[in-house]
Amino acid sequence: MDSNNEILLRVAVCIRLILKKNKTISRANKEKGIEDLTIVDALRQLEAASGVSYPIVQKLSVGERDAHITTVIRVIEGMGVTPGVFFTMYDKVTKAQIQAAVKEIEESRKAAGKKRISK
């Protein structure tokens, strides 16, 4: 894996981890009867919160987009975290996490392909 590709995948891993964490928080809040519309836990919500178009957000989340730092910062802040927190997380991403994300992305694509075919 070249260094540019690894950087893109590290960013993708962080985005995916934050969205998953937010989704867990959102579900827990829902079970308690708390509705918090400020928690961003999906790519479409991230598009709205960050002002970054869905295709760019989606490609960042799968490691297929090299974006300007300003775009990345808008996405980070749109998820409700600071750049400092994000980049601390970025520094801690492991090769195993990258491999797991790649596998998850590939499985999502296969499932999406099957859904398109069966329509």
Side-chain angles (χ1 to χ4, degrees):
M1 182 177 327
D2 69 4
S3 61
N4 279 350
N5 197 29
E6 185 173 341
I7 291 168
L8 297 177
L9 288 169
R10 282 177 174 268
V11 168
V13 166
C14 293
I15 290 170
R16 297 167 81 80
L17 288 172
I18 292 166
L19 291 177
K20 283 179 186 176
K21 178 183 175 192
N22 287 354
K23 191 166 289 218
T24 300
I25 292 168
S26 186
R27 283 186 187 138
N29 284 349
K30 192 173 185 176
E31 289 173 6
K32 296 174 188 172
I34 301 168
E35 184 177 12
D36 186 350
L37 300 177
T38 63
I39 297 176
V40 174
D41 64 6
L43 294 179
R44 290 283 182 194
Q45 291 175 333
L46 185 52
E47 171 191 33
S50 68
V52 176
S53 71
Y54 179 80
I56 292 172
V57 169
Q58 192 279 330
K59 288 189 180 293
L60 283 171
S61 76
V62 295
E64 293 181 351
R65 178 71 186 225
D66 195 353
H68 294 281
I69 189 67
T70 53
T71 301
V72 174
I73 298 296
R74 287 172 43 203
V75 168
I76 291 167
E77 291 177 344
M79 290 185 291
V81 299
T82 65
V85 168
F86 184 89
F87 288 110
T88 297
M89 179 184 287
Y90 174 93
D91 284 339
K92 294 178 181 177
V93 170
T94 65
K95 299 270 188 209
Q97 287 175 302
I98 292 172
Q99 291 169 346
V102 167
K103 183 177 179 182
E104 182 180 303
I105 291 163
E106 289 171 353
E107 288 171 358
S108 290
R109 287 187 177 142
K110 286 179 188 175
K114 288 179 184 175
K115 286 179 189 174
R116 287 190 200 116
I117 292 169
S118 65
K119 285 186 178 180

